[in-house]
Amino acid sequence: MSQNILITGPSLAPAAADVLTRAGYVPVYVPPYTNGEGLIEVVRMADPVGILARMGRIDETVFAAAPRLRVISKHGAGVDNIDVEAATARGIPVLNAAGANAVSVAEQAMALLFAVAKRIIPLDRGIREGRWEKPGFQGRELAGSVMGLVAFGAISRQTARFAKGLGISVRAHDPFSPTEAFAAEGVERVEDLDELFASCDIISLHCPLTPATKNMVNAQRLSRMKPGAIIINTARGGLIDEPALAEALASGRISGAGLDTFAQEPPPAEHPFWTEPRLVLSPHIGGVTKAANIRVGVEAAQGIVDMLEGRPVPEARIVNRAELKISV
């Protein structure tokens, strides 16, 4: 019987696919964002021993259709599209590839920041529509600003390096990151999240989506921010109360926002963001670069192979290690 690895997406970097095939496993690909009964039928037919999770949700209905499933590995860092609790109940380890896409996502965070602060999109549109908007224009210099990072993992630390190189000072909030990590990057640690929001010119989100962080950017925190503040989100859309952000932008409460991720992806056609000129949007592609795809894909695939073949996997990559009492 073949040893299939289900890829919940239409492709995988060739180097990552090679990791699977060289070890004797067969990649089985799924059309993008396949869900419901369509996904379950593919799962039943593939009967996978492992799942490499890219697009769509992996939950108990998937696990029930895959009796031989032994490991799930996320193509990236965030595992909010995987029901980790249900996987744990079945004794299935869930891995991630945290940090492998850090440079690419941090670059996207900075690109969104510049696009918002420098008003690149509306200025470009104005020129194309025949307007020369230099008279009366007042730009914004980012050097000398203060950036606040929410969480301080690999992507956040790389963002801090880029920001500091541009003359932006950096503060961060992360109750789980060791003190020495802040010191090593020359970043000020802020214990109180509300104080971070109130004191910074730029807030960049880098934390996972959990029940505790859902809608952490809400009307109350938005009301505490500086009038010229900018929010950047390359993490998870559910971190932001989107109607509250739309209202804060429309009222001029904050200056702008750059978003690479949304609570619902793709967002619905009637979403209030579409009419907001202070927003710059991209379709959750911060980590979708050739270099990052190779690193993330290889790490995710190697994790599956190592776990299936009984080789050690770094404990930081096993999301439910403590619950499963896995020793490394």
Side-chain angles (χ1 to χ4, degrees):
M1 183 179 292
S2 63
Q3 299 278 87
N4 294 334
I5 306 298
L6 192 74
I7 318 297
T8 58
S11 63
L12 196 60
D18 287 347
V19 170
L20 299 175
T21 56
R22 283 199 305 268
Y25 299 99
V26 179
V28 177
Y29 297 95
V30 178
Y33 297 105
T34 299
N35 54 36
E37 191 54 40
L39 175 60
I40 299 307
E41 183 59 30
V42 173
V43 174
R44 289 194 187 106
M45 292 178 62
D47 190 19
V49 294
I51 293 178
L52 199 156
R54 296 200 64 189
M55 305 171 184
R57 182 156 180 79
I58 309 298
D59 58 18
E60 174 59 29
T61 61
V62 172
F63 306 148
R68 296 200 298 152
L69 182 64
R70 293 169 52 199
V71 60
I72 304 164
S73 187
K74 177 63 187 287
H75 192 278
V79 295
D80 51 283
N81 66 324
I82 300 169
D83 188 335
V84 177
E85 184 176 345
T88 303
R90 288 179 172 268
I92 301 170
V94 178
L95 315 181
N96 68 7
N101 62 359
V103 171
S104 291
V105 178
E107 287 179 348
Q108 184 72 10
M110 299 306 294
L112 288 169
L113 172 59
F114 269 87
V116 172
K118 301 298 185 180
R119 297 181 56 199
I120 299 299
I121 305 301
L123 290 171
D124 174 87
R125 184 182 302 117
I127 291 176
R128 293 173 188 275
E129 293 174 355
R131 299 190 302 276
W132 188 254
E133 297 174 294
K134 183 174 181 179
F137 178 78
Q138 184 69 54
R140 176 172 180 170
E141 187 171 274
L142 288 170
S145 299
V146 180
M147 174 180 276
L149 302 172
V150 181
F152 203 53
I155 296 171
S156 184
R157 294 174 199 181
Q158 185 61 58
T159 303
R161 294 173 200 134
F162 288 151
K164 290 177 64 183
L166 295 164
I168 299 170
S169 60
V170 183
R171 315 178 80 199
H173 169 83
D174 189 333
F176 307 105
S177 190
T179 299
E180 53 267 27
F182 293 84
E185 300 293 345
V187 169
E188 179 187 354
R189 183 170 201 156
V190 177
E191 299 294 344
D192 185 74
L193 184 59
D194 288 333
E195 197 273 324
L196 186 80
F197 271 75
S199 65
C200 294
D201 305 295
I202 304 150
I203 292 290
S204 189
L205 307 178
H206 300 281
C207 56
L209 178 61
T210 69
T213 62
K214 183 176 174 61
N215 288 338
M216 67 186 304
V217 181
N218 53 28
Q220 186 178 35
R221 284 206 171 101
L222 287 163
S223 71
R224 293 193 176 105
M225 296 182 72
K226 296 181 179 181
I230 293 171
I231 292 177
I232 303 297
N233 187 11
T234 53
R236 288 294 183 268
L239 300 172
I240 295 176
D241 179 337
E242 292 180 339
L245 176 59
E247 172 59 30
L249 290 166
S251 67
R253 181 66 195 82
I254 64 172
S255 178
L259 310 178
D260 185 49
T261 183
F262 307 88
Q264 177 183 326
E265 297 183 348
E270 68 276 11
H271 203 291
F273 283 170
W274 305 142
T275 57
E276 178 47 68
R278 300 169 189 82
L279 273 173
V280 176
L281 310 172
S282 56
H284 207 157
I285 46 74
V288 185
T289 65
K290 183 177 180 179
N293 275 343
I294 292 171
R295 289 194 299 268
V296 172
V298 167
E299 192 164 307
Q302 190 64 57
I304 287 177
V305 171
D306 289 343
M307 188 64 71
L308 290 175
E309 299 187 2
R311 292 196 291 264
V313 174
E315 65 176 64
R317 292 192 53 208
I318 307 173
V319 176
N320 53 350
R321 180 183 66 85
E323 292 81 358
L324 294 175
K325 296 180 172 58
I326 296 173
S327 59
V328 296

